[in-house]
Amino acid sequence: LDSLPIRIRGDYARDFRIADEGYYAGRVAATTNNRKTHWANWTKYVQPLGLDPYSQGVQYTTKVRVLTGFAARIRQGFYGRGKRVAAGTVVGAITAVGQEIALACGTNPTKMFGSERLLPRLSQILDGWRKEDPPTTKQLPVEADIPELLAEAGRDGNATELERAVGDLTLIAFYYLLRIGEYTIKGTRNETKQTVQFKFEDITFFKKNASGQLRCLSRTAPSNLIASADGATMKLDNQKNGWKGVCVYQETNGEDYLCPVKALARCFLHIRQNGGSAKSFLSSYWKNGTRADVKAEDISRALKAAATELQYPTTKGIPIARINTHSLRSGGANALALAGYSDTQIQKMGRWRGATFKEYIREELACYARNMSRDMKRKFNFVNIAGNAFTDIPDDTLHIIENDCCKP
């Protein structure tokens, strides 16, 4: 910029500043931190070999050998807890290194030139490791009985404010299909995620008038109107898949207390009555005038305790170890699927961009096989209408067809 005339120097400086702001806004902090960690590990790995970490001037065969060696070191857990990691973790590290080099030099040495495919030898190694990896153990869904149990526990006169908040939030999360990061905090790491927590200002309640028409309530509406609302909308500023300003609406389910709208109203009013601001997180609660937030660990601990009390391992065949915070979102999606709601409706409620939501509908549940064998036993007497299109019918079968046609 020093070489530019003063009269236009400011214009170029502004252009570069806006471009930089866009670049940093396009990066998720958690992803950026991981990339920095992988890059530091890669730099340390190639330094004793006397190689440029940006792979400038490095022969192809040497580059491939070093990248595969680095991948093997990651696989062994050298940079982690000393335990072997999954192939997906290795791919993430290699991808981070390649992107860092591409940002600096314009080309990604971990991939084939002009292609998004990894180098052949690297790709084959990763394929071999994927075959060795055990299947992913996914969290299993829970039914409404678990959030209802927790909500009832929070309703008890001896319950703490944390127990009350956990009970209401699990009920809300189940019915609104929320991600854990949307209604809890996770310590100092919370700001590194793209998903933004719901805030007080994101909640809108609706009440039916005398003619049954929904009418929006002001956030300063009397408490009795908020508490008796017929529906509520939650607006999300940002989320994992990049959708912004998404609104999710639920109606009351007919229950006086174990209802997502009633639970949301209780959280809303608790924040308002304790002097919370418009920016207060939905996870906020006050104990003796001191503000605190519900953490992901609080939800996890409560879910496991409730599943134990309800004997999920023996009554539903679901191990406690496979119940965690994701079980509420998965459970809500399962409940909708079993109730007969369409894929489009489930996808919209859960704010999924594509068909990934189907992973939440667990095929291990007996409900999905109900009456299936009975229906399969039926004889449909189907006929292949293309039977004579590819091969002619033998002459010795003609008399069978003629006899069948002559039968009354």
Side-chain angles (χ1 to χ4, degrees), residues 12-27:
Y12 280 88
R14 183 185 63 250
D15 295 339
F16 296 152
R17 185 183 67 254
I18 293 173
D20 288 341
E21 290 173 354
Y23 168 72
Y24 288 112
R27 302 191 303 176

Side-chain angles (χ1 to χ4, degrees), residues 151 164-165 167-173 175-176 205 227 256-270 282:
R164 179 204 58 76
D168 286 339
L169 288 174
T170 53
L171 205 59
I172 296 166
Y175 281 95
Y176 280 89
F205 293 95
D256 291 332
Y257 192 86
L258 303 177
C259 166
V261 178
K262 307 289 186 187
L264 192 56
R266 291 193 291 270
C267 291
F268 182 91
L269 292 174
H270 179 74
L282 186 62

Side-chain angles (χ1 to χ4, degrees), residues 368-383:
Y368 291 106
R370 183 174 295 159
N371 297 328
M372 193 176 287
S373 62
R374 184 183 305 168
D375 290 337
M376 294 170 71
K377 186 178 180 298
R378 293 170 56 195
K379 284 32 171 220
F380 293 93
N381 294 321
F382 52 76
V383 175

Side-chain angles (χ1 to χ4, degrees), residues 10 40 46-47 56 69 71 116 166 168-169 178 181 191 194 203 214 250 252 308 315 341 371 374 391:
V46 300
Q47 186 176 15
Q56 299 303 296
E116 287 300 311
V166 166
D168 286 339
L169 288 174
L178 301 186
E191 74 279 359
Q194 184 165 343
I203 313 302
L214 281 177
Q250 273 284 22
T252 56
T308 301
T315 60
Y341 285 86
N371 297 328
R374 184 183 305 168
T391 57

Side-chain angles (χ1 to χ4, degrees), residues 232-245:
T233 293
M234 303 179 72
K235 178 180 72 67
L236 194 60
D237 288 340
N238 203 353
Q239 61 183 56
K240 184 179 178 181
N241 59 15
W243 277 7
K244 297 182 179 181

Side-chain angles (χ1 to χ4, degrees), residues 81-96:
R81 299 177 180 177
K83 295 183 180 180
R84 192 173 77 171
V85 300
T89 302
V90 181
V91 172
I94 295 296
T95 300

Side-chain angles (χ1 to χ4, degrees), residues 169-393:
L169 288 174
T170 53
L171 205 59
I172 296 166
F174 178 84
Y175 281 95
Y176 280 89
L177 307 188
L178 301 186
R179 299 180 178 91
I180 185 64
E182 295 171 347
Y183 64 98
T184 66
I185 68 167
K186 196 174 182 181
T188 56
R189 293 179 55 196
N190 207 52
E191 74 279 359
T192 66
K193 303 296 183 180
Q194 184 165 343
T195 297
V196 177
Q197 295 92 336
F198 284 107
K199 301 181 293 297
F200 179 85
E201 64 182 1
D202 299 325
I203 313 302
T204 303
F205 293 95
F206 295 85
K207 183 80 175 171
K208 292 180 180 178
N209 60 17
S211 60
Q213 192 77 21
L214 281 177
R215 289 290 181 261
C216 181
L217 295 176
S218 166
R219 292 190 179 88
T220 59
S223 297
N224 64 313
L225 286 181
I226 297 290
S228 60
D230 296 301
T233 293
M234 303 179 72
K235 178 180 72 67
L236 194 60
D237 288 340
N238 203 353
Q239 61 183 56
K240 184 179 178 181
N241 59 15
W243 277 7
K244 297 182 179 181
V246 176
C247 293
V248 190
Y249 176 79
Q250 273 284 22
E251 295 180 336
T252 56
N253 61 2
E255 294 282 345
D256 291 332
Y257 192 86
L258 303 177
C259 166
V261 178
K262 307 289 186 187
L264 192 56
R266 291 193 291 270
C267 291
F268 182 91
L269 292 174
H270 179 74
I271 294 172
R272 194 173 75 174
Q273 291 163 0
N274 283 278
S277 69
K279 301 296 182 181
S280 294
F281 290 149
L282 186 62
S283 59
S284 303
Y285 69 95
W286 278 259
K287 180 181 179 182
N288 299 326
T290 302
R291 180 188 171 280
D293 282 285
V294 177
K295 298 180 176 62
E297 303 83 64
D298 298 325
I299 301 294
S300 174
R301 192 182 307 112
L303 291 177
K304 291 179 182 293
T308 301
E309 184 174 341
L310 293 173
Q311 301 179 348
Y312 258 57
T314 55
T315 60
K316 299 183 183 297
I318 297 179
I320 301 300
R322 297 189 65 181
I323 293 177
N324 214 320
T325 55
H326 228 52
S327 297
L328 289 170
R329 182 168 165 84
S330 174
N334 267 282
L336 289 174
L338 292 172
Y341 285 86
S342 68
D343 288 353
T344 301
Q345 289 172 301
I346 300 173
Q347 188 174 351
K348 184 179 184 303
M349 178 59 69
R351 296 99 60 216
W352 283 288
R353 276 187 180 273
T356 53
F357 75 95
K358 293 183 178 179
E359 296 178 8
Y360 294 78
I361 301 173
R362 304 306 300 163
E363 65 277 2
E364 296 99 328
L365 303 184
C367 303
Y368 291 106
R370 183 174 295 159
N371 297 328
M372 193 176 287
S373 62
R374 184 183 305 168
D375 290 337
M376 294 170 71
K377 186 178 180 298
R378 293 170 56 195
K379 284 32 171 220
F380 293 93
N381 294 321
F382 52 76
V383 175
N384 178 19
I385 60 172
N388 201 29
F390 301 100
T391 57
D392 201 5
I393 299 177

